[in-house]
Amino acid sequence: MIEVVIAGAGPNGLMLACELALAGVRPVVLERLAEPDDKQRANGLVGQVVRMLDRRGLYERLATSGAAPTTPEPTPRYTFGAFPLELSDLPDNPLYTLMVPQRRIERVLEERAAELGVDIRRGHEVVGLTQNGKSVTVELREQAPIEAEFLVGADGGHSTVRKLAGIEFPGVSRDDSVSRSGHVSVPPDLIDADGGLVVPGFGVIPPFRHLRTEHGLITWAPFPESGPALNTVEWGQPAEGEATLEELRASARRVLGADLPLGPPAGPGPHLMRRLFGGNTRIAARYRAGRVLLLGDAAHVHAAIGGPGLNMGLQDAVNLGWKLAAEVRGHAPEGLLDTYETERQPAARRVAMHTQAQSLLTRPGDDVTALRELFGELLEQPTTRSHIARLLSGADLTYDMGPAAGPLVGHWAPDLPGLPHLRELTRTGRPLLLDPTGGLDAGPWAARVETVTVPGLDTALLLRPDCYIAWQDTTGDGDGLHEALGTWFRAV
């Protein structure tokens, strides 16, 4: 019997496959499409996941174009609700970005999964499932059923797996906005020294920043790999038929009140030209139904503003991977797999909250303009900008680690003074015990936990495979270590 079947070979499904393989489980990934989808989707990564990928040795593979540093660095500025978010003056800036197209993320993750022995089967569409207390039978279109111990739906916002499992998807839908996006070309003399787009009769559209006017929203994104793209959002402007460059040009004219000379994109493509109506904010009522689990967009959908989708979905995968592997291998303490939902569903609620708030701040109207005036004053305070940066990165999320105590417990592990860069210690995805003295004893958990002596470190730490701190000790006596180990890992 197959141990784990993953439905969906997008970034989230592939990341989960890699995490499972690191933990000794060889999943089978089923993908409905016969070939990788070359359509332009997400344009980069933002948030804590950038550093998490670095800790798995994947950042360097993604940042090979020369447009990014070889190790992650905080971004000096970002955007929130069409406001510029200045971060360069923050003493501990948690927001990291990596501009890389989703299709390249998928390619790198698929290559890594193949290296780890993952079986990826394209042209396999899930059409049904039945489960009992021991397995899930996955029914496929025009192919023989597959039996597995667990099935994970990583098959997007319209998830077939979620529907077949009978998991409700409550939330809200809006249909009053129209988003238009496309790759374009513009005359070179309209690009200023900072990459901004100079629009005669209007002014400058800064690069990679949402710009709100009283008529809508516009974003200019000169991507180094895929080419420049323009996006507009309007309210009360219905459209039909196939999306066109002329439609995007007319939308930009309405938003800006000035003509923008847009031409067709250069290069071989693939090129983006699309129109989207409205949007959804929904979170699955459950992340697990028996032996079926949900991941990424199958578990939560929200507005794309701020780019949090891949940050949340890939972090779901890192959280679920080691727990599901432990369950399959018989190494999981009771209730471990259920902590996937209790830890990651609050993360989805946080993202749903701030994307809804950002969307509201971008709408037209005098009342929104007044709200923006007040919000702009609040953004002058470093404490406000720090709070929003932590919110966008996911660094504000902490997990309940039970009885373990310490100021770092429940937090994602930072790079601490005296500690070698964690990127060198966390690539295997194993639990990690960082011992300043060399005297800590992992006892019956020693075979499951990698212990590293780190002279000069002022506190002992136990890190889960997802790099969250499960135990901390500054006394050197190891008090509470075995209790924490027993909470998260089963002894040999």
Side-chain angles (χ1 to χ4, degrees), residues 20 26 123 172 247 280 309 313 392 403 407:
L20 288 168
R26 295 294 181 268
V172 295
E247 179 188 349
N280 294 290
L392 292 176

Side-chain angles (χ1 to χ4, degrees), residues 369-391:
T369 300
L371 177 62
R372 288 180 62 84
E373 183 177 350
L374 173 60
F375 198 82
E377 293 176 5
L378 295 175
L379 285 178
E380 295 175 4
Q381 304 299 319
T383 54
T384 304
R385 285 182 275 117
S386 177
H387 179 88
I388 290 177
R390 289 178 57 78
L391 175 67

Side-chain angles (χ1 to χ4, degrees), residues 21-52:
L22 284 174
V25 172
R26 295 294 181 268
V28 171
V29 180
L30 306 178
E31 171 53 52
R32 177 180 59 85
L33 299 176
E35 298 292 336
D37 187 356
D38 240 3
K39 292 180 181 177
Q40 182 71 12
R41 299 184 186 276
N43 295 300
L45 297 165
V46 56
Q48 196 165 277
V49 71
V50 176
R51 299 183 71 194
M52 190 67 236

Side-chain angles (χ1 to χ4, degrees), residues 196-471:
L197 180 58
V198 181
V199 181
F202 174 80
V204 178
I205 305 175
F208 302 110
R209 235 192 71 190
H210 299 103
L211 177 66
R212 174 193 178 265
T213 75
E214 288 295 342
H215 305 286
L217 191 70
I218 192 165
T219 309
W220 162 247
F223 294 112
E225 288 196 11
S226 58
L230 193 79
N231 167 261
T232 65
V233 182
E234 294 180 273
W235 287 261
Q237 288 288 342
E240 58 184 25
E242 185 176 351
T244 65
L245 178 62
E246 177 53 40
E247 179 188 349
L248 179 60
R249 189 184 296 123
S251 177
R253 185 186 307 119
R254 289 191 296 268
V255 172
L256 298 173
D259 285 319
L260 180 54
L262 300 178
H271 295 133
L272 171 71
M273 184 58 65
R274 72 182 178 198
R275 181 199 310 122
L276 300 174
F277 293 96
N280 294 290
T281 299
R282 298 184 177 275
I283 301 173
R286 295 175 290 160
Y287 280 25
R288 179 186 181 188
R291 291 183 170 268
V292 178
L293 298 108
L294 302 178
L295 176 71
D297 288 355
H300 41 69
V301 294
H302 48 79
I305 189 167
L310 282 177
N311 184 37
M312 186 158 58
L314 293 172
Q315 291 282 53
D316 286 349
V318 175
N319 185 287
L320 176 60
W322 67 277
K323 296 174 181 178
L324 183 55
E327 188 74 24
V328 168
R329 290 300 189 204
H331 300 162
E334 185 177 355
L336 176 68
L337 193 54
D338 291 329
T339 67
Y340 167 58
E341 177 181 314
T342 58
E343 291 183 348
R344 294 306 299 165
Q345 201 175 58
R349 288 195 290 268
R350 294 289 285 170
V351 169
M353 175 272 290
H354 78 67
T355 53
Q356 286 179 305
Q358 290 190 74
S359 297
L360 178 61
L361 284 167
T362 65
R363 294 175 71 91
D366 292 342
D367 51 350
V368 176
T369 300
L371 177 62
R372 288 180 62 84
E373 183 177 350
L374 173 60
F375 198 82
E377 293 176 5
L378 295 175
L379 285 178
E380 295 175 4
Q381 304 299 319
T383 54
T384 304
R385 285 182 275 117
S386 177
H387 179 88
I388 290 177
R390 289 178 57 78
L391 175 67
L392 292 176
S393 71
D396 66 328
L397 184 71
T398 59
Y399 296 150
D400 181 4
M401 297 293 176
L408 295 176
V409 171
H411 293 263
W412 198 73
D415 293 319
L416 298 171
L419 177 64
H421 203 304
L422 281 175
R423 69 198 299 260
E424 306 301 331
L425 301 175
T426 54
R427 296 196 174 192
T428 62
R430 298 189 64 199
L432 187 63
L433 177 59
L434 301 174
D435 181 2
T437 65
L440 292 176
D441 178 16
W445 293 271
R448 302 235 188 280
V449 178
E450 184 174 349
T451 301
V452 179
T453 301
V454 188
L457 186 64
D458 62 3
T459 183
L461 298 172
L462 173 65
L463 273 59
R464 305 188 322 185
D466 56 358
C467 291
Y468 275 80
I469 299 171
W471 172 81

